[in-house]
């Protein structure tokens, strides 16, 4: 008993005096086969990946912007695993059907790798763009890629400049290509990033607060969908309408009625040209064009839908004609569309419109959450736990 009491005192001395709440992100997922899964998130101009393969060797994923995704043409490949108890990740660039050479610069950053229960998992990240434009896919807001994957029950040859040994040949269990292209950034945004909390011990009483990406997807049935993400002091939007004409979204700090103080982004594709316009309305009727603070990234028409990707600084210098998305500011969201294929972007004529029923906060009030538990409360909790331990 004396030993236990001394041990308990030793624990009290070493126990850290604060707790920090750490946030985890929801991920977009590509899971084509029970043998392979890729999950990714987007944060601060980085893509963060979790790759898992049902092998005890190497696991690889590649991205290509080519038209078919086949023949290993222009593949930007990350391959990794655990060899001799050491995690590794290599960067390859392939141009044809043969073992690809290792890239001169590894632009994939290994965050961790493990083998367990017959599976290999690799966590890594990459900047959206790199300085090797001829050997890396450059992930822009409008970049779409086929996702290719492969694996092998042996580790990549140590010291080799090519990816080997070969994957499972023609076996559909060991390699594959996504049936369609993916926009990794917008799919990560559409994953409705919602922070979850995990409590971790911190060896300090200081409070650390790190801004966390936040986002959401809202819709008005099949007619309109808006996804946004706030990260790195930017608001990034993907707007989609069931139309081949224009698609518009409006934000207002009012109640949404009468088009009062609407900050409007309207865009689409007209005569083969992508466009995005900025409007400000004070009342019903045709709004006037405003200084453009919404920045177009891309626009497209496909399958009867128009999709527009754009961004904006939360706050602008045009305080009279822009909603200022300050931390904690909530807004009503209105939308409209026009069904036309003649390139007519007359904003005064729309086919359908609506106002979403809820209010939304696009920029969180704190940008992150940190919690510090006072030393007295901490020690009380520890003492109570130790008392239960000593009695049991």
């Amino acid at each position: 008993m004396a030993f236990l009491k001394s041990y308990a005192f030793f624990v009290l001395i070493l126990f850290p005096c604060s707790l920090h709440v750490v946030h985890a992100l929801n991920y977009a997922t590509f899971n084509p086969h029970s043998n392979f899964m890729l999950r990714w998130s987007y944060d601060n101009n980085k893509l963060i990946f979790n790759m898992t393969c049902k092998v005890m060797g190497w696991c690889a994923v590649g991205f290509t912007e080519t038209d078919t995704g086949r023949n290993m043409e222009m593949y930007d490949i990350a391959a990794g695993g655990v060899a001799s108890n050491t995690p590794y990740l290599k960067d390859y660039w392939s141009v044809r059907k043969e073992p690809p050479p290792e890239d001169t610069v590894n632009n994939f950053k290994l965050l961790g790798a493990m083998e367990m229960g017959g599976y290999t998992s690799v966590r890594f990240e990459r900047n959206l763009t790199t300085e090797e434009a001829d050997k890396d896919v450059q992930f822009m807001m409008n970049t779409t890629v086929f996702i290719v994957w492969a694996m092998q029950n042996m580790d990549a040859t140590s010291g080799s400049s090519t990816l080997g040994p070969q994957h499972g040949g023609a076996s559909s269990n060991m390699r594959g290509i996504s049936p369609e292209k993916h926009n990794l950034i917008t799919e990560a945004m559409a994953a409705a990033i919602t922070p979850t909390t995990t409590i971790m011990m911190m060896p300090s009483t200081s409070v650390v607060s790190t801004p966390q990406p936040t986002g959401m997807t809202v819709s008005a049935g099949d007619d309109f969908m808006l996804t946004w993400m706030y990260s790195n002091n930017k608001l990034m939007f993907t707007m989609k309408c069931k139309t081949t004409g224009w698609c518009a979204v409006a934000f207002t700090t009012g109640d949404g009625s009468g088009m009062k103080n609407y900050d409007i982004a309207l865009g689409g594709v007209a005569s083969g040209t992508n466009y995005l316009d900025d409007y400000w309305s004070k009342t019903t009727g045709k709004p006037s064009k405003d200084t453009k603070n919404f920045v177009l990234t891309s626009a497209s028409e496909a399958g009867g839908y128009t999709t527009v990707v754009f961004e904006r600084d939360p706050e602008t210098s045009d305080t009279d004609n822009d909603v200022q998305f300050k931390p904690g500011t909530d807004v009503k969201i209105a939308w409209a569309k026009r069904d036309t294929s003649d390139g007519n972007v007359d904003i005064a004529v729309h086919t359908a419109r609506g106002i979403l029923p809820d209010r939304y906060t696009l920029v969180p009030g704190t940008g992150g959450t940190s919690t510090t538990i006072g030393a007295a409360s901490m020690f009380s909790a520890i003492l109570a736990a130790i008392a239960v331990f000593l009695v049991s």
Side-chain angles (χ1 to χ4, degrees), residues 100-374:
E102 193 169 349
D103 201 351
T104 307
V105 179
N106 189 343
N107 286 299
F108 293 105
K109 180 182 177 182
L110 178 65
L111 300 177
M114 64 180 295
E115 292 179 342
M116 181 180 292
Y119 288 84
T120 294
S121 294
V122 186
R123 178 173 166 81
F124 58 98
E125 67 181 21
R126 213 206 80 171
N127 292 332
L128 297 182
T129 59
T130 73
E131 294 182 358
E132 286 193 299
D134 58 336
K135 290 188 176 181
D136 287 323
V137 169
Q138 305 298 306
F139 291 103
M140 308 294 187
M141 289 294 287
N142 61 342
T143 300
T144 59
V145 294
F146 285 103
I147 301 174
V148 297
W149 54 277
M151 65 191 79
Q152 176 57 269
N153 264 310
M154 297 175 65
D155 287 308
T157 305
S158 177
S160 172
S161 61
T162 59
L163 179 59
Q166 294 293 298
H167 54 67
S171 171
S172 60
N173 295 338
M174 304 295 278
R175 64 183 178 91
I177 303 171
S178 65
E180 58 188 18
K181 283 188 170 182
H182 293 261
N183 185 316
L184 300 191
I185 298 174
T186 58
E187 287 180 32
M189 291 169 62
I193 300 175
T194 305
T196 57
T197 58
T198 302
I199 295 179
M200 298 179 63
M201 301 302 177
M202 296 286 288
S204 169
T205 57
S206 61
V207 177
V208 181
S209 181
T210 303
Q212 301 295 328
T214 59
M216 193 172 184
T217 297
V218 295
S219 68
D222 200 33
D223 281 328
F224 172 82
M225 183 176 72
L226 179 72
T227 294
W228 70 85
M229 190 172 82
Y230 171 68
S231 181
N232 199 28
N233 202 35
K234 283 283 185 184
L235 281 165
M236 292 155 283
F237 301 91
T238 298
M239 172 174 63
K240 185 176 182 180
C241 290
K242 191 176 183 180
T243 182
T244 54
W246 55 254
C247 184
V249 63
F251 307 96
T252 178
T253 55
D255 61 9
S257 63
M259 294 181 64
K260 294 177 183 176
N261 298 326
Y262 274 22
D263 194 356
I264 303 169
L266 181 149
V269 181
S271 303
T273 301
N274 302 342
Y275 68 92
L276 181 72
D277 292 319
D278 190 336
Y279 296 86
W280 178 260
S281 74
K282 295 182 179 180
T283 184
T284 54
K286 185 175 181 179
S288 57
K289 276 192 178 182
D290 187 19
T291 302
K292 191 175 290 187
N293 285 301
F294 292 106
V295 179
L296 177 66
T297 300
S298 68
S300 62
E301 291 181 353
Y305 287 86
T306 293
T307 301
V308 186
V309 181
F310 58 98
E311 66 181 35
R312 211 203 83 170
D313 291 335
E315 298 182 55
T316 72
S317 58
D318 189 6
T319 56
D320 292 334
N321 298 302
D322 284 328
V323 168
Q324 303 299 309
F325 294 103
K326 297 181 179 181
T329 298
D330 61 10
V331 296
K332 293 287 286 186
I333 297 177
W335 62 274
K337 66 172 185 173
R338 182 178 182 188
D339 296 334
T340 177
S341 57
D342 60 4
N344 189 334
V345 294
D346 185 0
I347 191 174
V349 182
H350 50 67
T351 306
R353 62 184 176 88
I355 302 173
L356 300 183
D358 298 320
R359 298 187 71 89
Y360 302 94
T361 301
L362 277 62
V363 178
T366 59
T369 304
S370 293
T371 302
T372 299
I373 299 177

